[in-house]
Amino acid sequence: MSVLTSSTARATTLPQALLEAADQHRGPAMRVRRDGALVEISFAELGTAAREIAGGLIAHGVRPGDRVAILGSTRPEWTVADCGALCAGATVVPVYHTNSPEECRYVLAHSEATVLICEDGDQLQKIERSELPDLEHVFTMLPVAGTPSLDDLRAAGDPADAETVTVAPESAATIVYTSGTTGPPKGCVLTHANCIATMRMYEDRLRDELRPGVVTFMFLPLAHSLARIVQLVTLDVGATLAFWQGDPKRLLDDIADARPMYLPSVPRVFEKIHSRALAAVEDASPLRRALFEWAVGTGARVRAAERRGEPAGPVARAGARVADRLVLSRVRELFGG
């Protein structure tokens, strides 16, 4: 059994877990492809950014328990902002990037957010500050004329202040709002203890697979609790978050490029991958189509037996090896191999 190197066995709050992970692990914490080039952010760089953002927020008056909202799509800057706000002791309020101006206003007003970290100019246009008396400061992840950026926030305070912040396990770490399909969105308050306990459950269950070097693909909204916990678990164990480029048309290519071990997703994405696999044999000969169906069925039966803890017999294992060599390895290439 592999040894899982995480900080949740010791940490009782998310700032403790995040800063310990940043100091303990080496290698890339995050990566994303931009303009064709692969950009990586190391754990050391993430730790520096989190401490600097925390120091900047503290310099702007944020105290433990104050609400810091994040409005943007899933990208490395979202994660950096999240880590920094948590290390300042703030309660993070994610806002869906698809929300309308009215929905954004409701969440920001209801949560009494004092700081908003916004993705770009398009998201910033949704915010009418005159309607949000509690909102004191707005920063953007990407440069926007006339609005201070995350870089400005990082330069505004003392990163050492992050080491002096104290929050209790029962303090609110985040308020996650529902979609509001049956009325106004409801804010679900999650404490640091809630998040740490959930992280431990993931890590205990995946102890043999989670390790440095493993890649988790990120495209689901970080405003949702699933993507958020997956993000925290990945960083905690020293694995790598690989982010999509933000273009739905390139999503499958991004997945193949990232070569992830873990792909938190919605059914539609797997349906698209399934369709792409089927398209490869759609015009093939009857023999090739039969071979494809046999290989997929053989692999499914062997994997189902493994998940039940039942050893596959020698004939089944031999069939699975042939199926993998002829067909399944090519299907895996759709996920990066």
Side-chain angles (χ1 to χ4, degrees):
M1 179 177 289
S2 62
V3 177
L4 182 63
T5 54
S6 76
S7 58
T8 55
R10 300 177 301 275
T12 58
T13 66
L14 292 179
Q16 291 174 338
L18 288 167
L19 293 180
E20 284 190 26
D23 294 341
Q24 174 185 358
H25 298 304
R26 300 294 179 265
M30 298 183 286
R31 65 167 60 116
V32 65
R33 193 169 292 280
R34 287 178 174 161
D35 299 323
L38 190 63
V39 178
E40 293 189 339
I41 300 172
S42 69
F43 276 94
E45 290 170 330
L46 176 60
T48 297
R51 288 178 168 94
E52 290 177 352
I53 290 172
L57 289 171
I58 293 169
H60 281 83
V62 172
R63 297 295 179 263
D66 288 351
R67 274 62 160 172
V68 171
I70 304 178
L71 168 59
S73 60
T74 297
R75 55 187 303 134
E77 292 85 355
W78 205 111
T79 298
V80 171
D82 189 22
C83 293
L86 288 168
C87 289
T91 299
V92 177
V93 180
V95 186
Y96 281 95
H97 67 286
T98 55
N99 275 7
S100 67
E102 293 74 21
E103 290 167 331
C104 291
R105 181 174 64 250
Y106 178 88
V107 171
L108 294 172
H110 187 268
S111 65
E112 300 179 338
T114 60
V115 175
L116 171 64
I117 300 175
C118 210
E119 181 175 8
D120 54 19
D122 289 341
Q123 296 294 345
L124 190 61
Q125 289 181 355
K126 298 179 180 179
I127 307 305
E128 180 53 64
R129 294 185 64 175
S130 64
E131 300 174 347
L132 298 164
D134 294 313
L135 189 61
E136 300 174 2
H137 304 286
V138 176
F139 302 92
T140 58
M141 301 177 194
L142 304 180
V144 176
T147 304
S149 68
L150 270 184
D151 289 340
D152 297 318
L153 181 60
R154 291 178 63 174
D158 184 350
D161 288 343
E163 312 294 344
T164 65
V165 173
T166 301
V167 293
E170 61 272 16
S171 299
T174 186
I175 303 176
V176 180
Y177 279 80
T178 65
S179 60
T181 53
T182 58
K186 310 298 190 298
C188 176
V189 180
L190 300 176
T191 67
H192 290 270
N194 292 151
C195 295
I196 292 290
T198 305
M199 291 166 66
R200 285 175 179 161
M201 286 188 284
Y202 272 81
E203 293 171 10
D204 288 345
R205 178 65 180 83
L206 301 173
R207 180 172 296 275
D208 291 334
E209 290 81 23
L210 285 171
R211 59 186 181 277
V214 163
V215 173
T216 300
F217 187 77
M218 298 297 294
F219 82 97
L220 293 180
L222 281 165
H224 192 280
S225 55
L226 171 61
R228 193 89 167 290
I229 288 295
V230 168
Q231 162 196 266
L232 292 169
V233 168
T234 300
L235 295 174
D236 192 52
V237 302
T240 302
L241 295 167
F243 289 81
W244 73 322
Q245 298 181 67
D247 182 356
K249 295 180 181 178
R250 288 190 48 84
L251 177 58
L252 299 189
D253 294 331
D254 285 346
I255 293 171
D257 183 56
R259 299 172 62 88
M261 176 175 284
Y262 293 103
L263 174 57
S265 184
V266 291
R268 178 57 184 150
V269 171
F270 294 116
E271 290 170 0
K272 291 175 69 175
I273 294 173
H274 183 254
S275 296
R276 182 173 288 192
L278 293 180
V281 295
E282 190 175 56
D283 298 324
S285 67
L287 179 60
R288 285 192 60 191
R289 288 200 299 272
L291 177 62
F292 179 86
E293 293 171 1
W294 168 81
V296 171
T298 298
R301 286 191 295 273
V302 171
R303 181 54 59 89
E306 291 175 348
R307 288 174 175 166
R308 292 193 301 267
E310 301 172 359
V315 174
R317 291 199 302 271
R321 287 193 296 269
V322 173
D324 187 76
R325 184 169 64 252
L326 296 178
V327 175
L328 301 182
S329 60
R330 299 181 184 181
V331 175
R332 276 203 308 280
E333 289 176 0
L334 298 175
F335 295 90

